[in-house]
Amino acid sequence: MIKRMKRAGIALCAVTVLSPALSGAAHASSLTPAPACVAVHESWRYLSATNNCAGTVTVRAVYADGATGLCHTLAPRTVSTVGEGYLGQHGRVGHLALCEDV
């Protein structure tokens, strides 16, 4: 009986932990990609963005696993760290997206 309860508890935890990631993937696919004038550079430790646009942009990282990062505002001709590198929790970046709710 105890083994069954432990297995059920583990299954419940797995569903609880995976569910936000699944809903995050759906949300990530609906985000507007950043314009081509925003360049992204990914290293093992950091994800950087360069704003080559004429105006200010606010972007977030969208990782290959569907997770999204925090929004970062970049003035024209600036470079900033906008996320974790490919050895981080979410792996490689998929693309940068505009933060439209900021």
Side-chain angles (χ1 to χ4, degrees), residues 39-50 59-63 69-70 72 79-86 91-96:
V40 63
H41 174 74
E42 185 176 28
S43 73
W44 69 274
R45 189 167 185 184
Y46 299 110
L47 178 67
S48 299
T50 303
V59 296
R60 72 173 72 206
V62 179
Y63 294 93
L70 299 174
H72 296 270
V79 179
S80 180
T81 300
V82 295
E84 59 189 20
Y86 55 79
R92 297 231 177 240
V93 69
H95 66 279
L96 292 179

Side-chain angles (χ1 to χ4, degrees), residues 14-100:
V15 170
T16 304
V17 170
L18 292 176
S19 295
L22 295 175
S23 63
H27 172 69
S29 66
S30 67
L31 295 172
T32 304
C37 54
V38 179
V40 63
H41 174 74
E42 185 176 28
S43 73
W44 69 274
R45 189 167 185 184
Y46 299 110
L47 178 67
S48 299
T50 303
N51 180 7
N52 296 313
C53 304
T56 300
V57 294
T58 303
V59 296
R60 72 173 72 206
V62 179
Y63 294 93
D65 69 354
T68 57
L70 299 174
C71 293
H72 296 270
T73 301
L74 303 169
R77 296 171 301 285
T78 60
V79 179
S80 180
T81 300
V82 295
E84 59 189 20
Y86 55 79
L87 290 183
Q89 178 180 1
H90 301 291
R92 297 231 177 240
V93 69
H95 66 279
L96 292 179
L98 291 176
C99 291
E100 297 169 345

